[in-house]
Amino acid sequence: MIVLGIESSCDECAAGLVVDGKTILSNVVYSQLKEHAPFYGVVPEIASRRHIESISDVVSRALQEADHDLSSVDGIAVTCRPGLIGSLLVGLSFAKGLALALDRPYVGVDHILAHLYAPHLETDIEYPYLGLLVSGGHTMIARVKAYDRIEILGTTIDDACGEAFDKVAKFYDLGYPGGVAIDKLAQKGDPEAFSFPRPSLHKGDHRFDVSYSGLKTAVIHQLEQFHNPELPATRENIAAAFQQTAIDILVDRVLRASRDTGLRRIVAGGGVAANSYLRSHLAEEKGLEVIFPSLSLCTDNAVMIAGLGYQLLAAGKRSSFDLNAQARVPGFRRTYP
Ligand code: KG4
Ligand code: ZN
């Protein structure tokens, strides 16, 4: 079954064709990076306007790249939540129009579950495992039982991990998107130049949660306080020390969740899963099987939507034409979806 995936939940307008939830025929991503860069963050109204201008071309390119036309599409999968509402509505409406015109089934797909599905496009992975989803909007550690069934063990209690990278980069004018810029600068920096604080959430309900507001405040407003005077306070050193602390906070919770649940297989996804320090740090952990998607499947794309969409369509799931987009998913805290 050839599924056309469409993704427009944030600032990437993407389309791709995937066969049987596994073989990628095309993967087109039109990034609006340049448009949002002057604002150091995604401007929702600009994002929706760019999506409406580019979506038709992006879908055409995905078909061309796969050397197919619309007649070969057996089903359509589209991100319907969570995300920026105006952006989501563009992709969802486009997908509905196509499904109606082609008389093919379509299904709305959850962006979070799709990020977790992304590594399945490249590797055969058995369930259950510990899923780590870290992006600009989400930070989550979950027991992943199936492609459509996860139990959330921990989240962030304030900022998402990628959001912290973006905010620190914005404050010090390090570049956009923040995560990529910090990762690059950090390679030339010394993380020992600063000893930033780590949150001490360890009890009961917060056992697997992370927090980034304390670290963000320390890096932005209290830099001197945490500076090791023997090393210079360069941009590279700030980036290296911030990155190491931010990722160590995450890895600490992942290892704790792995110990507590007995899940030794860890599968990562989301934009921050592209971070070089996270990738090398987790890979060094003994006794764990750690799976990262390749860099292009970490950040937003439509093949992860097509992949998960195939599983849903093959299981007989169909969305109706009154399906609405959702900015947030209620009840996110422990059970999902
Ligand atoms: O998954 P994604 O493309 O969009 C969301 O669903 O949020 O993730 C984007 C986020 C941004 O916050 C960006 O700064 C971060 O992922 N990011 C990184 C890296 N590459 C992207 N963070 C740390 N290190 C990276 N190499
Ligand atoms: Zn995403």
Side-chain angles (χ1 to χ4, degrees), residues 158 213 223 244 257 320:
D158 37 58
S213 72
L223 197 61
Q244 180 166 305
S320 62

Side-chain angles (χ1 to χ4, degrees), residues 130 132 141 198-202 206-212 244-260 266 277-278 281-282 285 288:
L130 202 61
L132 169 66
I141 297 170
R198 286 149 201 243
S200 56
L201 296 163
H202 48 81
H206 288 307
R207 198 165 160 70
F208 308 119
D209 285 341
V210 294
S211 162
Y212 282 106
Q244 180 166 305
T245 313
I247 299 298
D248 285 351
I249 289 172
L250 202 60
V251 171
D252 179 72
R253 293 307 132 119
V254 171
L255 297 182
R256 179 182 282 180
S258 169
R259 277 195 304 272
D260 282 19
I266 296 169
Y277 176 64
L278 172 65
H281 190 7
L282 260 185
E285 287 297 327
L288 295 182

